[in-house]
Amino acid sequence: MKTITLAGGCFWGIEAYFKRVRGVVHTSVGYSNGTKENPDYKEVCSGKTGHAEVCKIDYDDSILPLDKILDHFFRLIDPTVLNRQGNDTGTQYRTGVYYSSDDDLPEIKEFVKSIAKKYSSEIVTEIEPLHNFFPAEDYHQEYLEKNPSGYCHINFSLLKDEEKQDPV
């Protein structure tokens, strides 16, 4: 079991997408890499805490290796846009790959370097160690499952049938 934490704009859609990916064992949304201990949603949205909205993903790397997670993630985001994804704007909506194991850094850097050729602008997605993770309030967890018509900037059709979790 491995863990990676991804910031891709509003965390509702990132979580809903990755919960559908074969090999993902658990997800949790929260706030990472900011300066305040245990911030709440209102504090994070103020832009004063420095946190990003993130989805922490526990995965079975024998089924879903890190490069495949990154492939999924970069399908969902525009890595050339700073502090915005979809209609969401602010520093909390920046994109980022926050790793828990230093062993993952070379693979992440190599992946980003290989996809940079696809873009005419510089990739601004942060690549940093995960400094902290504070779970978001309960109502944010699995939000789109509880609120299927909730706002989401993620295109779920980017998930191919052969990549989906097996039905339970």
Side-chain angles (χ1 to χ4, degrees):
M1 183 84 68
K2 292 184 73 176
T3 300
I4 193 78
T5 304
L6 304 173
C10 175
F11 48 27
W12 297 341
I14 297 294
E15 180 182 43
Y17 179 93
F18 275 98
K19 284 186 80 61
R20 294 176 167 116
V21 176
R22 181 180 291 122
V24 171
V25 176
H26 182 261
T27 61
S28 178
V29 296
Y31 315 113
S32 287
N33 286 21
T35 57
K36 185 178 189 302
E37 288 288 314
N38 205 27
D40 63 30
Y41 182 68
K42 186 176 179 181
E43 291 171 318
V44 171
C45 288
S46 76
K48 296 177 182 175
T49 69
H51 291 87
E53 285 194 14
V54 298
C55 182
K56 189 173 189 181
I57 301 166
D58 297 325
Y59 63 100
D60 181 339
D61 66 326
S62 69
I63 297 169
L64 181 67
L66 180 57
D67 67 317
K68 296 298 182 201
I69 287 180
L70 296 172
D71 179 58
H72 282 284
F73 180 62
F74 280 91
R75 287 181 207 173
L76 304 176
I77 64 166
D78 182 342
T80 67
V81 176
L82 186 62
N83 300 331
R84 188 185 85 237
Q85 293 292 300
N87 293 329
D88 298 311
T89 303
T91 57
Q92 73 272 26
Y93 298 119
R94 66 189 180 267
T95 59
V97 177
Y98 306 119
Y99 54 93
S100 299
S101 170
D102 289 339
D103 293 342
D104 291 339
L105 181 58
E107 185 173 358
I108 295 166
K109 283 184 170 181
E110 187 59 37
F111 183 90
V112 171
K113 182 180 174 185
S114 73
I115 64 158
K117 301 169 195 148
K118 296 181 188 179
Y119 299 95
S120 58
S121 298
E122 179 184 351
I123 291 180
V124 295
T125 300
E126 293 179 336
I127 300 170
E128 296 181 0
L130 181 66
H131 298 296
N132 51 45
F133 175 83
F134 301 100
E137 297 80 354
D138 286 343
Y139 71 90
H140 286 299
Q141 306 299 329
E142 299 176 340
Y143 182 86
L144 291 177
E145 287 181 27
K146 297 180 241 179
N147 302 279
S149 59
Y151 165 74
C152 182
H153 70 285
I154 299 297
N155 180 354
F156 293 103
S157 70
L158 295 172
L159 181 60
K160 301 169 190 142
D161 285 342
E162 65 272 11
E163 299 170 325
K164 292 180 180 176
Q165 291 276 16
D166 294 328
V168 182

